[in-house]
Amino acid sequence: MPKPGSAKEPSAYRFGVFQFHAATLALAKSGISIRLQPQPARLLNLLLANAGNLITRDSIRGSLWKDGTNVDFETGVNRCIRQLRTALSDDAVTPRYIKTVPRIGYSFIAPVAGGAAAPVAKTESGNGAPPQSIAVLPFVNLSGDPQDEYFGDGLAEEITNVLAQMVGLKVLARTSAFAFKGKNDDIRGIAAALDVDNLLEGSVRRNGGQIRVTVQLIEAATGTHLSSKRYDGKMTDIFALQDEIAADVARQFRVGPGTSRRFTYNVAACEAYLEGRFHWNKYAPGAFTKALACFDRAIAMDAACAPAWAGIAQCSLGLVTEAGFSALDYLPKAAEAARRSLELDDSSGEAHACLGQVAAMLYHDWASAARHFDRALARDPSPYVRITYSGWHLCPLGRARDAVMETGRLVADDPLNLLGRWTYGASLFFARDFERAAEVWSRLLDIDPSFPKVLQALSVARGFQGRFEESIALAQKLLGAGAGLRCGRRVGSGEERVTRVGRIAGRQQRRCDTDGNTLWFAG
């Protein structure tokens, strides 16, 4: 293999409908310029100069990070690859251009030709301006009452939803942006990890019926504050306040404004709903119980609060899948709440996804499940909708490869969504790619060593790989975390539960051999 960067580079590379100018690091598709940040462009240049050969991660580090810049290399190179795949409309699972060799490096696999550079037209945005991206970080609670923390989170999430409606602005999903909550990471490091150009951060202070929100819009590359503004108002004006903040951001990027969801005009019901979302987003059995109480309180104050009904449906499902509550008791409750939500607001993708999941779990009515998931994806392809669609429709029907594609794209769009990454690993597992599933779950443990779902899943995967000592060790760690392993019901304690891991893995293996389309283990 030639030494990276040692070959004489042509003035331009051509592959498929793309052209890459080596001297200026400019990428174009059919003559239309595509914006790339400098480091991904340099990585593309390195891959093209060595097309067909494997470029190791160590070689990439030596070529692109050789100046000793204080950068998290693993995060940096993964971010660069994601941006390149987005620019080239490539896919990590079935690549046309960039192939990943796990833990080792990358290879440019498409035919590449070199020659003179052709003229490049203006950028795809149509007005010469590069597309902009933004992440909304959780707002800091300055109210002095820890119980008010949910309100800052909820306000940031609602502003994210408004910004996401704006054409020409890429808005990172809430899950990844909130992964930095409570951390004092450098703004540039956060933006690099999230692969966005701008960050919106702020704080919230409440005093009785008054509210003060301070917001800063920051350009990530330079750390420059593009704008900083204080908003004062009454709690009764909270929706107008959200719209005002989002409109100010829209003006900075010269894009059309969005509008917030007026799901209730009852301020107390709004607060109860936001508190419910705060608990639900923790995605744990105890949190579902708290969230359910909040959503019940919201509809008691305003029975027309559609998102609260959808929240009841999601919590009811979560208590079945994550806490082992009775499916016969809670799945009908989930379906009833989801239908009530849709009667009030048919645009709720999450309510349709809940009905799809109930149809699959309780009735095995795959035609009805397909209709609801199709509607959910058409209305609101949120991470929750895509995770549910993959785990409760594609995998049970034997379409695990489709699930791998769907969850792979989800991980690319929302890189720090831990449940999304877990579902990606599960899709690989159901596709019988046990090695890659175990690799995905192992990396998740690096992010969160106590994530119970990962400990359980990786324990089962190691059993399928014949690595039984590791499987039992992971199960013991799971029990030490107090999570408990289920297979249809809660099992006993101590040695009985550890021993059962091996029996579960063996039983699952036999199930997979006779019915590869319906391999299941408890979540």
Side-chain angles (χ1 to χ4, degrees):
M1 183 185 81
K3 184 179 179 180
S6 62
K8 182 178 180 181
E9 297 181 352
S11 57
Y13 298 101
R14 296 190 302 277
F15 51 96
V17 296
F18 296 96
Q19 183 184 56
F20 182 77
H21 195 294
T24 61
L25 301 179
L27 176 67
K29 178 181 179 181
S30 300
I32 305 298
S33 177
I34 297 176
R35 180 177 178 270
L36 281 181
Q37 293 179 350
Q39 202 73 334
R42 294 188 188 101
L43 178 54
L44 179 58
N45 193 34
L46 180 65
L47 292 170
L48 289 169
N50 297 272
N53 295 313
L54 174 65
I55 304 298
T56 67
R57 293 173 77 88
D58 286 343
S59 296
I60 294 171
R61 186 199 299 268
S63 296
L64 302 186
W65 276 271
K66 59 186 176 182
D67 59 356
T69 303
N70 185 22
V71 174
D72 181 341
F73 170 73
E74 294 298 323
T75 298
V77 73
N78 291 339
R79 177 183 62 82
C80 288
I81 290 294
R82 286 199 306 271
Q83 187 175 125
L84 289 178
R85 287 203 169 108
T86 298
L88 301 176
S89 300
D90 202 13
D91 186 86
V93 179
T94 56
R96 290 181 296 167
Y97 299 111
I98 301 173
K99 178 181 178 181
T100 300
V101 180
R103 300 178 185 268
I104 299 176
Y106 306 92
S107 176
F108 198 90
I109 58 176
V112 177
V120 176
K122 62 182 180 180
T123 59
E124 286 187 321
S125 61
N127 60 3
Q132 293 291 307
S133 56
I134 188 171
V136 181
L137 301 179
F139 287 4
V140 177
N141 171 31
L142 298 180
S143 299
D145 184 354
Q147 297 299 319
D148 275 350
E149 183 182 3
Y150 75 87
F151 189 79
D153 283 10
L155 183 60
E157 184 172 358
E158 290 302 311
I159 291 172
T160 298
N161 294 333
V162 178
L163 294 175
Q165 302 175 38
M166 299 178 182
V167 178
L169 186 63
K170 175 186 175 183
V171 182
L172 193 73
R174 170 222 182 264
T175 324
S176 288
F178 274 49
F180 292 91
K181 182 179 178 179
K183 300 179 181 179
N184 293 318
D185 297 51
D186 177 73
I187 285 293
R188 299 185 194 187
I190 294 175
L194 298 177
D195 194 18
V196 293
D197 302 313
N198 306 277
L199 293 171
L200 191 72
E201 64 173 7
S203 62
V204 179
R205 185 187 301 275
R206 293 205 298 171
N207 184 12
Q210 298 295 121
I211 182 172
R212 170 172 290 175
V213 182
T214 303
V215 174
Q216 297 88 34
L217 178 61
I218 303 170
E219 184 180 58
T222 63
T224 303
H225 282 62
L226 299 177
S227 67
S228 181
K229 187 174 179 180
R230 190 180 74 191
Y231 303 83
D232 292 301
K234 297 180 180 179
M235 279 299 301
T236 52
D237 301 325
I238 186 62
F239 290 110
L241 190 65
Q242 291 171 191
D243 284 348
E244 185 181 356
I245 294 171
D248 286 344
V249 174
R251 279 191 288 272
Q252 289 288 331
F253 297 118
R254 295 181 175 84
V255 297
T259 56
S260 60
R261 301 174 299 167
R262 297 297 199 278
F263 52 80
T264 180
Y265 287 94
N266 185 309
V267 174
C270 173
E271 290 194 59
Y273 169 74
L274 293 180
E275 186 178 355
R277 293 301 300 178
F278 172 79
H279 292 300
W280 186 88
N281 282 319
K282 295 179 180 179
Y283 210 82
F288 291 143
T289 302
K290 292 179 181 178
L292 191 58
C294 293
F295 293 137
D296 282 337
R297 194 166 74 247
I299 63 170
M301 291 181 283
D302 181 1
C305 184
W309 286 105
I312 291 172
Q314 289 176 288
C315 288
S316 300
L317 281 162
L319 288 171
V320 173
T321 61
E322 307 304 314
F325 281 35
S326 169
L328 293 178
D329 290 338
Y330 278 82
L331 293 186
K333 179 178 181 179
E336 180 183 355
R339 282 193 290 268
R340 178 62 174 148
S341 175
L342 291 172
E343 288 172 1
L344 296 164
D345 177 12
D346 188 59
S347 67
S348 173
E350 294 185 346
H352 275 297
C354 288
L355 285 175
Q357 187 174 345
V358 172
M361 290 179 66
L362 190 59
Y363 305 111
H364 295 178
D365 183 350
W366 304 110
S368 177
R371 286 194 298 273
H372 284 296
F373 280 123
D374 286 345
R375 290 169 186 166
L377 291 165
R379 285 163 172 75
D380 178 21
S382 68
Y384 176 84
V385 168
R386 297 164 73 181
I387 288 169
T388 308
Y389 172 59
S390 299
W392 294 101
H393 186 67
L394 294 178
C395 284
L397 291 181
R399 296 172 57 189
R401 280 293 162 192
D402 290 337
V404 170
M405 295 284 286
E406 182 67 39
T407 54
R409 287 191 290 266
L410 169 61
V411 169
D413 293 341
D414 194 3
L416 298 182
N417 186 323
L418 301 191
L419 187 61
R421 284 180 175 267
W422 184 90
T423 310
Y424 178 50
S427 300
L428 289 165
F429 183 90
F430 289 125
R432 302 183 64 82
D433 193 341
F434 305 132
E435 292 292 335
R436 289 180 64 200
E439 180 183 347
V440 169
W441 286 329
S442 294
R443 290 183 177 179
L444 256 180
L445 280 184
D446 292 338
I447 299 173
D448 184 353
S450 62
F451 193 174
K453 290 174 71 69
V454 182
L455 290 169
Q456 179 188 349
L458 188 55
S459 175
V460 175
R462 292 306 189 208
F464 272 77
Q465 292 174 299
R467 296 162 64 170
F468 299 115
E469 290 185 3
E470 291 181 51
S471 175
I472 291 174
L474 286 162
Q476 289 172 326
K477 186 175 181 180
L478 176 67
L479 299 178
L485 182 64
R486 303 186 312 278
C487 188
R489 64 179 179 86
R490 289 196 179 277
V491 298
S493 60
E495 185 177 349
E496 176 191 352
R497 286 194 280 179
V498 174
T499 303
R500 185 164 297 195
V501 172
R503 297 205 297 271
I504 289 173
R507 181 161 65 251
Q508 295 287 17
Q509 180 69 63
R510 290 194 295 275
R511 179 77 178 274
C512 185
D513 288 342
T514 58
D515 184 9
N517 291 343
T518 53
L519 185 152
W520 296 96
F521 56 92

